[in-house]
Amino acid sequence: DGTLVNSYDVINPTLSLEYAWGGEKGDTYAVTLVSDYVYNPDPKDTGFLLGAKAGYRKVGERFGDWQVGYSWRYLEDDAFLAAFPDSDSYSGNTNAKGHELTFQMGLAKNVTLGVDYYYMEPISGSTRRTENLLQTDLVFKF
């Protein structure tokens, strides 16, 4: 009938810390740390993400700009409504934990090449298998 089994009145604080330096404005390079936590009190499920990225603060200004990143995530089955998690991470499903590695490189002004690798596995009781996903993106900005 379209009624959800659990309530999704989640608590979801996010924290991001960035240090930038270099260039005329002091913001050419950056190191960023990020954390994201979610708690759904109805089934008492949780999830979190811890990550970091480093390199050029903004990729795509010129050839050779680059940025690398890593994150580790853990998302229990009903911590968040399954329609909203990252659709590339474990095909967008919950009840998963794993790693994401990213690399971006500027090929020209407003042209970037990105590579993402996900290694995800079920947390518990799932018939789904471990999932490896490698994807590339070639982005042109107008």
Side-chain angles (χ1 to χ4, degrees):
D1 66 358
T3 304
L4 298 173
V5 175
N6 296 306
S7 170
Y8 287 92
D9 295 325
V10 300
I11 300 164
N12 184 209
T14 300
L15 177 65
S16 179
L17 180 63
E18 180 179 83
Y19 176 73
W21 72 94
E24 293 176 16
K25 298 179 183 177
D27 64 355
T28 300
Y29 310 102
V31 173
T32 305
L33 303 175
V34 64
S35 67
D36 194 14
Y37 175 77
V38 63
Y39 175 69
N40 187 355
D42 187 14
K44 294 187 167 93
D45 280 357
T46 62
F48 55 89
L49 177 140
L50 298 170
K53 63 182 178 177
Y56 282 76
R57 190 167 190 223
K58 190 172 184 182
V59 177
E61 295 291 312
R62 63 193 157 270
F63 176 78
D65 293 355
W66 60 272
Q67 189 178 86
V68 295
Y70 169 81
S71 66
W72 188 82
R73 60 190 72 202
Y74 178 95
L75 188 61
E76 292 180 337
D77 204 25
D78 289 309
F80 210 70
L81 191 59
F84 296 112
D86 180 355
S87 63
D88 297 323
S89 172
Y90 209 55
S91 301
N93 292 299
T94 57
N95 190 36
K97 63 182 177 180
H99 311 271
E100 177 188 14
L101 294 168
T102 61
F103 175 75
Q104 257 192 319
M105 182 173 177
L107 300 179
K109 183 163 178 68
N110 298 324
V111 181
T112 60
L113 174 67
V115 178
D116 268 352
Y117 172 71
Y118 293 89
Y119 175 83
M120 303 296 294
E121 56 190 11
I123 293 172
S124 64
S126 176
T127 58
R128 292 181 57 91
R129 296 186 213 169
T130 297
E131 186 175 285
N132 289 283
L133 173 67
L134 179 67
Q135 67 183 41
T136 60
D137 295 307
L138 182 59
V139 178
F140 297 86
K141 292 186 180 178
F142 298 95

